[in-house]
């Protein structure tokens, strides 16, 4: 059985994936932004091994979450699920970064770089990433008029770029990305048309399954099946630029192989 850490797992798809993995006999550590959310998650999934608290919207907060995870010991897999949605307004974090970028892109980078290297990494993207541009020249939205939907889509392309960069640079780690579908969670909204019962399955499968289809790296999935990602995600130069940008903004270097 595997030991798995899931970011942003006090509710929604992260918690659903945690429930499924626990039911399969795996050890699961959840993550919640604050104590109130941790209590809510604990009431739903009392069999979780632990719940790490910490706000991923700031660089210091993401660093602290990584330190708390590392204090718990080695993990076989990390699922990068934490995100804010496409309806977000334009507001800046304490570090002066757009909230969507800070949580969806930069915190995933920081946690990837600082958490002790697991055997598997899983990154949640979105179907919206297919029509996005990485816009690495204006990743902080200082030149463009804010558009929450575009910012979200870009961040999910960034997550896919990061997943594929890790697969390329860390050959001993299985690193993949997926889209769960547009489902009726708090983020997706009540009118979302996709199947909620399917939305959490792929990330749990990639994190822990022994099936041949899950024992891969550098792939993109939708409902347990490979799907072609945005072609930009396969661009090694873009992957490297994203890592360099995140390293510069966060002060966290990306570890070598």
């Amino acid at each position: 059985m595997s030991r798995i850490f899931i970011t942003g797992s006090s509710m929604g798809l992260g918690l659903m994936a945690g429930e499924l993995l626990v039911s399969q006999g795996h050890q699961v550590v959840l993550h919640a932004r604050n104590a109130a959310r941790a209590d809510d998650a604990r009431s739903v999934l009392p069999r979780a091994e632990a719940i790490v608290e910490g706000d991923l919207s700031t660089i210091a907060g993401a660093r602290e979450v990584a330190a708390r995870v590392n204090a718990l010991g080695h993990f076989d897999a990390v699922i990068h699920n934490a995100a804010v949605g496409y309806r977000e307004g334009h507001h800046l974090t304490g570090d002066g970064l757009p909230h969507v970028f800070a949580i969806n892109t930069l915190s995933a980078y920081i946690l990837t770089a600082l958490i002790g290297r697991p055997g598997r990494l899983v990154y949640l993207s979105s179907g919206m990433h297919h029509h996005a541009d990485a816009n690495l020249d204006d990743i902080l939205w200082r030149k463009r008029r804010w558009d929450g939907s575009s910012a979200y889509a870009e961040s999910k392309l960034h997550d896919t770029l990061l997943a594929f960069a890790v697969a390329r640079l860390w050959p001993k780690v299985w690193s993949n990305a997926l889209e769960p579908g547009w489902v009726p969670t708090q983020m997706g909204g009540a009118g979302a048309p996709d199947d909620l019962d399917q939305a959490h399955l792929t990330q749990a499968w990639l994190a822990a399954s022994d099936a041949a289809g899950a024992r891969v790296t550098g792939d993109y999935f939708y409902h347990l099946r490979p799907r072609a990602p945005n072609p930009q995600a396969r661009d090694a130069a873009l992957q490297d630029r994203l890592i360099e940008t995140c390293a510069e903004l966060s002060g966290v270097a990306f570890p070598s192989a």
Side-chain angles (χ1 to χ4, degrees), residues 176-187:
N176 298 286
L178 68 110
E179 58 187 80
W182 182 16
V183 291
T185 59
Q186 181 175 333
M187 182 187 295

Side-chain angles (χ1 to χ4, degrees), residues 112-255:
T112 298
L114 293 183
I115 290 176
R117 197 173 304 183
R120 303 190 190 193
L121 286 165
V122 182
Y123 297 82
L124 267 73
S125 183
S126 164
M128 293 175 68
H129 100 284
H130 290 287
H131 307 291
D133 186 278
N135 278 310
L136 299 186
D137 290 330
D138 190 28
I139 202 168
L140 300 183
W141 286 83
R142 291 174 176 167
K143 302 174 185 177
R144 294 170 289 160
R145 182 175 180 178
W146 177 259
D147 180 274
S149 179
S150 295
Y152 174 79
E154 285 178 17
S155 74
K156 294 288 107 178
L157 174 54
H158 299 158
D159 289 335
T160 311
L161 280 160
L162 180 57
F164 292 169
V166 170
R168 177 171 57 88
L169 297 171
W170 294 352
K172 295 182 180 180
V173 176
W174 296 342
S175 177
N176 298 286
L178 68 110
E179 58 187 80
W182 182 16
V183 291
T185 59
Q186 181 175 333
M187 182 187 295
D194 231 330
D195 186 353
L196 184 60
D197 292 335
Q198 294 288 321
H200 62 299
L201 302 182
T202 305
Q203 48 267 48
W205 177 72
L206 287 171
S209 176
D210 288 329
R215 296 167 62 86
V216 297
T217 192
D219 281 348
Y220 187 88
F221 292 85
Y222 172 69
H223 290 358
L224 305 177
R225 295 181 180 275
R227 171 172 282 189
N230 183 322
Q232 289 188 33
R234 298 289 188 194
D235 187 327
L238 277 180
Q239 295 168 12
D240 290 342
R241 282 186 60 202
L242 176 65
I243 285 176
E244 290 165 5
T245 299
C246 289
E248 181 178 353
L249 289 170
S250 66
V252 176
F254 189 80

Side-chain angles (χ1 to χ4, degrees), residues 82-93 97-107 141 146-156 158:
V84 291
Y86 62 92
R87 292 175 288 187
E88 284 284 304
H90 185 232
H91 59 277
L92 302 180
T93 68
L97 306 174
H99 191 233
V100 173
F101 168 78
I103 294 179
N104 295 12
T105 301
L106 193 61
S107 77
W141 286 83
W146 177 259
D147 180 274
S149 179
S150 295
Y152 174 79
E154 285 178 17
S155 74
K156 294 288 107 178
H158 299 158

